[in-house]
């Protein structure tokens, strides 16, 4: 780990809660078949039962790319050697930020549910992503992300 764990809630001025003391990051992996790897979030998690990308809290001194790749490896068995980062976007609230890292996978791999944060992992065609119930913030970002894929 590159610094202290960021695994804790940040509470905004309006009372909204965000995961990650040092912010958070997620990895949107795109397969050569134009699919994205999505995570069906555990029911006990924040916005549980919805779909989004693997990700989580950044650790102190960890870059957003490092955090996104680490979290995707921990939660979905994403092999970092297959990834080529294409771009990233940042939602910056001033007191908390979330970075979406978009990476191409050199080949389609079998994701692995490797921790209790996932109900299921699935490759979903880019044009079918909105057919599953999305995490609200991912849903807000999806059209902008999809237009760049």
């Amino acid at each position: 780990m590159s610094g202290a764990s960021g695994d804790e809630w940040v509470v905004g001025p309006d009372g909204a809660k965000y995961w990650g003391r040092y912010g958070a990051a997620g990895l949107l992996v795109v397969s050569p078949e134009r699919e994205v790897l999505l995570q069906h979030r555990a029911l006990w998690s924040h916005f549980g039962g919805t779909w989004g990308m693997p990700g989580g809290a950044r650790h102190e001194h960890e870059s957003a790319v490092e955090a996104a790749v680490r979290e995707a490896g921990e939660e979905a068995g994403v092999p970092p050697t297959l990834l080529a980062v294409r771009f990233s976007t940042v939602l910056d609230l001033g007191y908390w930020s979330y970075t979406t890292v978009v990476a191409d996978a050199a080949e389609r791999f079998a994701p692995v549910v490797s921790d209790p944060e996932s109900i299921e992992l699935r490759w979903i065609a880019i044009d079918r992503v909105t057919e599953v119930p999305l995490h609200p913030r991912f849903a807000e970002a999806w059209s902008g992300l999809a237009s760049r894929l």
Side-chain angles (χ1 to χ4, degrees), residues 2 14 16-17 54 56 58 78 88 90 101 103 108 120 142 145:
S2 58
D14 63 353
K17 293 183 348 183
R58 290 173 62 176
V78 175
S88 62
V90 179
V101 177
R108 192 177 193 266
E120 178 186 2
W142 176 245
L145 292 167

Side-chain angles (χ1 to χ4, degrees), residues 70-129:
R70 175 185 51 77
E71 286 282 343
E74 291 172 2
E75 295 179 356
V78 175
T81 57
L82 294 181
L83 301 176
V85 173
R86 191 189 307 184
F87 66 90
S88 62
T89 63
V90 179
L91 168 66
D92 189 346
L93 301 179
Y95 55 89
W96 182 85
S97 67
Y98 186 91
T99 302
T100 299
V101 177
V102 177
D104 293 316
E107 61 189 57
R108 192 177 193 266
F109 56 89
V112 177
V113 174
S114 53
D115 73 12
E117 295 180 37
S118 302
I119 296 171
E120 178 186 2
L121 298 161
R122 186 188 308 168
W123 288 104
I124 299 179
I126 290 171
D127 62 353
R128 302 195 72 182
V129 166

